[in-house]
Amino acid sequence: MELVRDSQRSAVYDAETLVRGMFDRADERNLRTVEVMGSAITLPVERKFGSVESVQAYCDQVLRMNWVAETWPRACVSVSVRPRAGNTAAHYSNEVIAVPIDRGGRWAMRELVVLHELAHHLGKDDEPGHGAAFVDRYLTLVGEIIGPEAAFVLRAMYLAGGVKTG
């Protein structure tokens, strides 16, 4: 089987890093309004997780949502969550989400990262890992679960970074 090139990977990661930074600053300053592309946006609250078990429970709940199951056939396939050594990245492979839990890796124990990994889970095996279909899935999950304001900010950062959507 020929591997599909993941040409948007670094642009997707760069845009998502900017968005996570906006959410982090909003939390630190307790000031949720940001300006994005000339619009004042009030960021919703993003859930943070304290344990692998809480990430697992969250994933289970998302996959059981009626609209998720109706939209993506792979929602009926369970995902397992496990801790990952190191602190550089969360990862999805073969129905397993690995989240770094080291002190430096706690940045990944958050809703934006977990939804990113679930967007991988819900995709088809033969699509680029961070291609247009993935980006659309992730934007939909963020918009419906975290809120439309979060999806707007994410879409704007994708656009600014040249990320293609479907």
Side-chain angles (χ1 to χ4, degrees):
M1 182 169 105
E2 184 180 327
L3 291 177
V4 179
R5 188 164 181 268
D6 193 4
S7 61
Q8 294 198 131
R9 183 175 188 253
S10 89
V12 165
Y13 286 165
D14 289 347
E16 291 175 13
T17 297
L18 290 172
V19 172
R20 287 193 309 270
M22 288 181 191
F23 273 83
D24 289 342
R25 284 187 299 284
D27 288 343
E28 289 166 7
R29 297 178 184 155
N30 201 22
L31 182 62
R32 306 220 60 84
T33 302
V34 296
E35 187 170 319
V36 177
M37 300 185 91
S39 296
I41 304 295
T42 301
L43 296 176
V45 174
E46 176 193 14
R47 292 169 185 89
K48 304 283 174 59
F49 304 103
S51 67
V52 170
E53 294 78 17
S54 62
V55 175
Q56 180 70 63
Y58 178 82
C59 289
D60 293 344
Q61 290 173 343
V62 168
L63 293 176
R64 281 195 306 263
M65 291 178 167
N66 290 337
W67 71 268
V68 171
E70 291 167 4
T71 306
W72 299 291
R74 284 192 42 83
C76 68
V77 178
S78 300
V79 68
S80 297
V81 180
R82 70 167 178 82
R84 181 177 190 186
N87 62 11
T88 57
H91 180 71
Y92 172 80
S93 181
N94 300 319
E95 286 84 45
V96 177
I97 294 174
V99 289
I101 58 170
D102 296 355
R103 202 171 100 188
R106 305 250 353 131
W107 66 268
M109 299 288 282
R110 62 190 305 160
E111 199 167 20
L112 285 166
V113 171
V114 173
L115 289 175
H116 175 110
E117 301 309 330
L118 281 174
H120 284 303
H121 174 70
L122 294 169
K124 297 176 182 171
D125 291 336
D126 62 348
E127 68 183 41
H130 297 90
F134 164 83
V135 171
D136 281 350
R137 252 189 328 279
Y138 183 47
L139 283 166
T140 299
L141 288 168
V142 168
E144 293 295 324
I145 296 171
I146 299 177
E149 301 86 357
F152 174 83
V153 171
L154 184 59
R155 184 179 298 278
M157 294 305 104
Y158 281 153
L159 178 65
V163 173
K164 292 178 179 58
T165 61

